[in-house]
């Protein structure tokens, strides 16, 4: 066992990268669920975002255009879900599952010509002086821009939900859609916009995997991160900062356990491999012992006639 | 007259078509990953396409991809058998018990399970001696490493993977006594993000050679981003990453086996067999060694490959001790297939424990 082989600075820097796709998808889903909609299609939207962003950035040569395309792809797919659940009044669980299956199939089809191609690189930002600082530089100032967008998004979602009028309306729709409707708010419009926001976030998270974290296109490459994002929202009690904490815990322990394995620590590998799941759930469950609960209208179908 | 002729020929064609349909041999494949993984499943699917190309209209192939190793695999196989499959190839280690269970229920359907060890009257097992390819990898890796640290991404601690680690280690150690292996278990066959993380961790901890026993090309991309790190293609050539970081590869070639076995079903000569072929029989191929490898290392690696192919050298030749120092193979003794098939120990010199 040689713990000195683990470089804590690189560890923290890489855990932030590992956590970002999960963070993006989860914060998007959080907004959707706070509006009272349960969209189980996160995995499908992520993978379509992954290939959509990959394809556009390869064709255009611009990674930024790819990221925008990924958001558009995720939001576009989520519109299908919005149509099914908000206008056709279909069951949300079934529609969400169908969206995931559809997304996985569609992405495999779209990705046929993109296996083995390298995408244009999205460089890390480099701020003179700051990025060169020891320890703090690589951790705080040496990442790709999307990682900062992820953190900023959490702060923005938190502030909007807590302090703004839009956030209040969104929460009202999620807690009691009949009351919100009676007050004159357009429940369907709020929900469709929330679903699209969630889709865009999931798409961006997917593209983060295919353009930055891996970076390449392989079928099925999101490999269940969308599902983990769904679970994370629940365990984080629908609170943005807890989603951030959970995502960093999960990503962090995942990277840490790989580091410990490589350093040859004497903990059985099985325990290390399951540790990210267990520790994340434990911490968030303990934190959710306060009065937090699910949005009251979560998963319920709304029609103005009712 | 013309009309009658037309009708007769139409009837004839229809008759031919139906008889051809009845004669069609239906072949099922169960895959653990997507066919576009660029590795393991990709090669099995190439085997499936080769069967179609060989027999044309006489066969019909079906496949289901990304089937989890567990109860769901049983459902998929049962479904295939119920839909009239004559032979079903189940292409991952974790399908072993599901294959045996389903085979009991369908005694007339032939099953072929890859990389397992449980045989039955209607279940054959087949695998490739990947460890022969690992020997060549170890030989190259041991000489190419400058940090003397080789990173190894394992999937699950099963005999097939452990054999590969041991074989690579023995041959790396042979050419470089200071070499050290860092092993990370990913507990997945296919998860590009996780495989990339594992590769990055190993590189951060000083490895400049990455060997992988997982199915995607993500570790190749991670090595490329890191710069001076070399890798080997796994299961498929992964030549899109040549000449650097991918300097060579192990290629699984299932096509001849699949063609032979489907042919055996067609002419009624199929029987349960245990096939374990290596470089010699062509089931394991060594992908082109790129120019990133110095000529003399390339030459000695190819010489090693030839010795393995013609059987004059066995990848596990004594003296070899087990990790705890106890003797395993005496000088000149070679490992028997039984021990290799159930290998659950590291050889002497590897750090860490095999997860049990």
């Amino acid at each position: 066992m040689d713990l000195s082989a683990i470089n804590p600075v690189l560890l923290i820097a890489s855990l932030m990268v590992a956590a970002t796709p999960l963070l993006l998808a989860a914060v998007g889903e959080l907004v959707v669920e706070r509006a009272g909609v349960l969209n189980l299609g996160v995995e499908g939207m992520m993978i379509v975002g992954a290939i959509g962003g990959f394809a556009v950035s390869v064709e255009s040569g611009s990674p930024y255009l790819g990221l925008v395309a990924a958001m558009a792809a995720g939001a576009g797919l989520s519109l299908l879900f919005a149509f099914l659940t908000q206008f056709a009044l279909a069951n949300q669980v079934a529609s969400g599952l169908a969206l995931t299956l559809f997304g996985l199939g569609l992405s495999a089809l779209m990705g046929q010509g993109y296996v083995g191609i390298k995408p244009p690189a999205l460089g890390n930002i480099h701020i003179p002086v700051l990025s060169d600082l020891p320890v703090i530089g690589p951790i705080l100032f040496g990442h790709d821009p999307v990682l900062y967008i992820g953190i900023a998004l959490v702060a923005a979602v938190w502030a909007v939900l807590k302090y703004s009028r839009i956030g209040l309306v969104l929460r009202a729709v999620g807690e009691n859609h009949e009351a919100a409707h009676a007050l004159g708010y357009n429940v369907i419009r709020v929900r469709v916009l929330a679903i699209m926001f969630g889709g865009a976030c999931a798409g961006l998270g997917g593209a983060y995997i295919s353009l930055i974290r891996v970076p390449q296109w392989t079928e099925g490459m999101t490999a269940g991160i969308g599902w983990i994002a769904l679970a994370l929202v629940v365990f984080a009690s629908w609170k943005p900062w807890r989603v951030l904490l959970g995502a960093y815990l999960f990503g962090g322990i995942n990277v840490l356990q790989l580091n410990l394995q490589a350093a040859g620590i004497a903990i059985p590998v099985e325990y290390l491999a399951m540790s990210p799941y267990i520790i994340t759930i434990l911490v968030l469950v303990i934190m959710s012992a306060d009065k937090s609960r699910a949005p009251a209208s979560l998963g319920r179908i709304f029609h103005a006639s009712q | 007259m013309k009309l009658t002729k037309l009708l007769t020929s139409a009837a004839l064609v229809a008759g031919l078509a139906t008889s051809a349909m009845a004669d069609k041999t239906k072949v099922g494949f169960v895959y653990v990953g997507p066919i576009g993984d660029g590795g393991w499943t990709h090669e099995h699917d190439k085997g499936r396409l080769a069967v179609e190309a060989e027999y044309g209209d006489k066969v019909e192939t079906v496949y289901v991809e990304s089937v989890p190793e567990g109860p769901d695999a049983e459902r998929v196989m049962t479904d295939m058998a119920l839909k009239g499959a004559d032979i079903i190839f189940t292409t991952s280690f974790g399908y072993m018990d599901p294959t045996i269970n389903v085979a009991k229920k369908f005694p007339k359907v032939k099953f072929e399970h890859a990389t397992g060890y449980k045989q039955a009257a209607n279940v054959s097992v087949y695998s490739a001696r990947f460890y022969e390819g690992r020997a060549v990898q170890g030989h190259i890796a041991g000489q190419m490493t400058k940090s003397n640290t080789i990173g190894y991404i394992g999937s699950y601690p099963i005999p097939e993977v452990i054999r590969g680690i041991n074989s690579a280690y023995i041959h790396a150690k042979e050419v470089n006594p200071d070499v050290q292996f860092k092993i990370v278990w990913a507990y997945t066959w296919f998860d590009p993000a996780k495989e990339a993380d594992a590769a990055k961790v190993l590189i951060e901890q000083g490895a400049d050679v990455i060997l992988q026993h997982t199915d995607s090309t993500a570790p190749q991309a991670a090595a490329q981003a890191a710069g001076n790190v070399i890798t080997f293609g796994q299961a498929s050539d992964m030549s899109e990453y040549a000449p650097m970081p991918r300097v060579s590869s192990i290629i699984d070639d299932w096509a001849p086996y699949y063609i032979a076995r489907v042919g055996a079903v067609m002419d009624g000569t199929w029987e349960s067999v245990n096939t374990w072929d290596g470089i010699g029989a062509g089931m394991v191929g060594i992908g082109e060694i790129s120019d990133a490898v110095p000529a003399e290392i390339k030459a000695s690696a190819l010489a090693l490959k030839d010795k393995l192919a013609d059987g004059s050298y066995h990848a596990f030749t004594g003296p070899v001790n087990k990790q705890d120092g106890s003797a395993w193979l005496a000088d000149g003794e070679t490992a028997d297939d039984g021990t290799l098939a159930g290998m659950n120990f590291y050889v002497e010199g590897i750090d860490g424990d095999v997860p049990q």
Side-chain angles (χ1 to χ4, degrees), chain B residues 39-62:
Chain B
W40 177 259
T41 298
H42 179 65
E43 289 299 313
H44 283 284
D45 199 58
K46 269 164 74 177
R48 178 184 72 84
L49 295 172
V51 168
E52 280 193 341
E54 176 79 14
Y55 297 112
D57 289 344
K58 288 192 283 182
V59 293
E60 183 192 345
T61 66
V62 289

Side-chain angles (χ1 to χ4, degrees), chain A residues 5-6 10 14 18 115-116 118 209 213-216 218-221 223 254-255 257-259 261-263 269-270 273, chain B residues 34 36-37 65 182-185 187 190-194 197-198 200-202 204-205 217-218 221 224 240-241 355-356:
Chain A
I6 302 175
L10 287 178
S14 54
V115 175
K118 297 166 197 91
I209 300 176
R213 188 168 165 212
V214 172
Q216 55 170 237
T218 321
E219 262 181 53
M221 71 183 308
N254 227 330
V255 174
Q257 67 100 357
L258 290 171
N259 263 292
Q261 278 197 45
V269 177
E270 297 87 336
Chain B
D37 69 352
E65 52 187 346
K182 279 184 187 289
I183 301 162
V184 166
W185 297 98
Y187 280 91
F190 178 79
D191 181 344
K194 194 161 195 179
D197 283 347
K200 282 180 204 158
V201 161
L202 288 166
E204 281 167 13
Q205 294 202 14
T217 48
Q224 191 165 47
E240 60 268 29
Y241 288 94
Q356 296 296 339

Side-chain angles (χ1 to χ4, degrees), chain B residues 209-295:
Chain B
V209 178
I210 300 290
L211 305 182
Q212 64 174 106
H213 204 136
T214 48
D215 298 349
S216 89
T217 48
Q220 314 276 333
Q224 191 165 47
N228 274 325
V229 177
I230 65 163
T231 59
F232 294 82
Q234 160 65 11
S236 193
D237 197 26
M238 302 189 177
S239 55
E240 60 268 29
Y241 288 94
M244 273 288 276
R246 171 223 165 271
V247 297
S248 181
S249 60
I250 296 179
I251 305 169
D252 310 345
D253 187 4
W254 306 107
Y257 182 77
Y258 286 168
I259 289 169
R261 298 306 284 169
V262 171
V265 169
M266 285 174 169
D267 55 28
T269 56
W270 190 96
E271 52 187 29
S272 172
V273 292
N274 183 347
T275 307
W276 202 12
D277 285 338
I279 295 178
M283 203 180 251
V284 175
I286 301 295
E288 200 202 351
I289 299 171
S290 80
D291 294 337
V293 178

Side-chain angles (χ1 to χ4, degrees), chain B residues 1-348:
Chain B
M1 171 62 192
K2 261 186 186 167
L3 186 70
T4 353
K5 201 174 172 185
L6 201 72
L7 282 175
T8 334
S9 53
L12 199 70
V13 169
L16 276 176
T18 34
S19 68
M21 295 252 260
D23 284 337
K24 261 191 182 176
T25 304
K26 198 165 179 185
V27 187
F29 289 85
V30 184
Y31 298 142
V32 70
I35 56 174
D37 69 352
W40 177 259
T41 298
H42 179 65
E43 289 299 313
H44 283 284
D45 199 58
K46 269 164 74 177
R48 178 184 72 84
L49 295 172
V51 168
E52 280 193 341
E54 176 79 14
Y55 297 112
D57 289 344
K58 288 192 283 182
V59 293
E60 183 192 345
T61 66
V62 289
Y63 67 88
V64 180
E65 52 187 346
S66 301
V67 177
E69 299 179 320
D72 203 36
E74 251 178 75
R75 181 189 63 76
V76 171
M77 290 172 208
T78 307
D79 188 51
M80 276 186 181
L82 285 174
K83 284 183 181 155
D86 298 293
I87 179 166
I88 298 174
F89 293 91
T90 59
T91 63
S92 188
F93 179 80
Y95 300 149
M96 182 160 66
D97 290 326
T99 305
I100 295 289
N101 294 343
V102 177
K104 272 188 203 142
K105 286 187 250 167
F106 298 94
K108 284 192 186 143
V109 180
K110 317 287 188 247
F111 289 84
E112 299 261 353
H113 177 238
T115 70
Y117 51 82
K118 289 189 183 167
Q119 224 179 320
N122 60 334
V123 181
S124 281
V125 291
Y126 64 100
S127 185
R129 294 181 188 269
F130 309 114
Y131 67 85
E132 295 185 349
R134 292 283 172 194
V136 179
Q137 280 188 357
H139 183 82
I140 300 173
Q143 294 173 86
M144 293 291 286
T145 177
K146 292 183 186 68
S147 62
N148 291 331
T149 305
I150 294 175
Y152 205 113
I153 306 170
S155 46
Y156 295 96
I158 57 172
E160 178 198 333
V161 179
I162 294 166
R163 267 198 310 275
I165 295 173
N166 283 332
S167 175
Y169 180 76
I170 289 170
H171 293 87
K173 184 96 175 168
E174 190 181 60
V175 292
N176 180 353
D178 298 325
V179 81
Q180 213 203 352
F181 269 38
K182 279 184 187 289
I183 301 162
V184 166
W185 297 98
Y187 280 91
T188 178
W189 286 112
F190 178 79
D191 181 344
K194 194 161 195 179
E195 293 169 47
D197 283 347
K200 282 180 204 158
V201 161
L202 288 166
I203 293 165
E204 281 167 13
Q205 294 202 14
D208 61 355
V209 178
I210 300 290
L211 305 182
Q212 64 174 106
H213 204 136
T214 48
D215 298 349
S216 89
T217 48
Q220 314 276 333
Q224 191 165 47
N228 274 325
V229 177
I230 65 163
T231 59
F232 294 82
Q234 160 65 11
S236 193
D237 197 26
M238 302 189 177
S239 55
E240 60 268 29
Y241 288 94
M244 273 288 276
R246 171 223 165 271
V247 297
S248 181
S249 60
I250 296 179
I251 305 169
D252 310 345
D253 187 4
W254 306 107
Y257 182 77
Y258 286 168
I259 289 169
R261 298 306 284 169
V262 171
V265 169
M266 285 174 169
D267 55 28
T269 56
W270 190 96
E271 52 187 29
S272 172
V273 292
N274 183 347
T275 307
W276 202 12
D277 285 338
I279 295 178
M283 203 180 251
V284 175
I286 301 295
E288 200 202 351
I289 299 171
S290 80
D291 294 337
V293 178
E296 66 274 15
I297 299 178
K298 181 175 174 176
S300 67
L302 290 175
L304 176 65
K305 176 193 159 189
D306 292 339
K307 279 198 294 174
L308 286 161
D310 65 22
S312 59
Y313 172 70
H314 190 288
F316 289 100
T317 303
V320 178
N321 288 345
K322 292 187 182 179
Q323 191 184 31
D324 58 13
S326 62
W328 174 37
L329 298 172
D331 199 359
E333 187 186 355
T334 58
D336 62 283
D337 280 0
T339 314
L340 288 182
M343 188 174 253
N344 61 356
F345 57 87
Y346 287 146
V347 295
E348 194 172 43

Side-chain angles (χ1 to χ4, degrees), chain A residues 17-294:
Chain A
V17 173
T20 297
L22 182 59
L23 179 67
L24 285 166
V27 82
E29 177 67 12
L30 180 139
V31 170
V32 179
E33 293 193 14
R34 286 298 279 268
V37 179
L38 182 64
N39 184 356
L40 297 184
V42 181
E43 179 83 3
M45 299 184 299
M46 280 185 92
I47 191 95
V48 167
I51 182 59
F54 190 89
V56 168
S57 67
V58 166
E59 300 301 340
S60 69
S62 158
Y64 293 99
L65 213 55
L67 292 172
V68 173
M71 287 194 275
L77 192 65
S78 74
L79 269 180
L80 186 64
F81 175 84
F83 173 75
L84 287 173
T85 57
Q86 303 306 311
F87 297 103
L89 304 184
N91 179 295
Q92 294 183 1
V93 172
S95 307
L97 289 173
L99 196 69
T100 288
L101 295 176
F102 176 66
L104 287 170
L106 181 69
S107 65
L109 183 70
M110 287 164 67
Q112 292 285 327
Y114 293 98
V115 175
I117 294 178
K118 297 166 197 91
L122 182 72
N124 290 343
I125 58 164
H126 190 90
I127 308 165
V129 187
L130 284 180
S131 296
D132 300 326
L133 290 174
V135 185
I136 301 171
I139 293 177
L140 291 183
F141 303 110
H143 292 290
D144 55 88
V146 183
L147 190 143
Y148 301 107
I149 295 176
I151 299 171
L153 205 58
V154 172
V157 164
W158 168 77
V160 166
L161 283 178
K162 198 169 166 80
Y163 297 113
S164 80
R165 185 180 164 78
I166 302 169
L168 207 58
V169 173
L170 185 104
R171 276 156 54 205
V173 166
E175 291 297 338
N176 189 335
H177 49 216
E178 278 102 5
H181 175 65
L183 286 171
Y185 296 118
N186 190 333
V187 173
I188 301 292
R189 186 164 67 202
V190 171
R191 286 190 169 163
V192 168
L193 290 173
I195 291 169
M196 285 179 68
F197 176 78
C201 287
L204 186 63
Y208 191 81
I209 300 176
S210 67
L211 287 176
I212 299 168
R213 188 168 165 212
V214 172
Q216 55 170 237
W217 164 250
T218 321
E219 262 181 53
M221 71 183 308
T222 47
I225 294 175
W227 296 109
I228 295 170
L230 274 165
L232 188 61
V233 174
V234 177
F235 286 117
S237 321
W238 296 269
K239 294 192 164 95
W241 291 113
R242 291 192 190 176
V243 164
L244 180 82
L245 174 77
Y248 275 30
L249 259 180
F250 186 81
I253 297 168
N254 227 330
V255 174
L256 179 67
Q257 67 100 357
L258 290 171
N259 263 292
L260 291 175
Q261 278 197 45
I265 196 172
I267 300 174
V269 177
E270 297 87 336
Y271 296 115
L272 288 175
M274 68 170 103
S275 60
Y277 303 88
I278 292 185
I279 295 176
T280 309
I281 289 174
L282 263 182
V283 168
L284 292 175
V285 163
I286 291 168
M287 285 181 70
S288 66
D290 58 9
K291 283 185 195 154
S292 47
R293 55 170 184 81

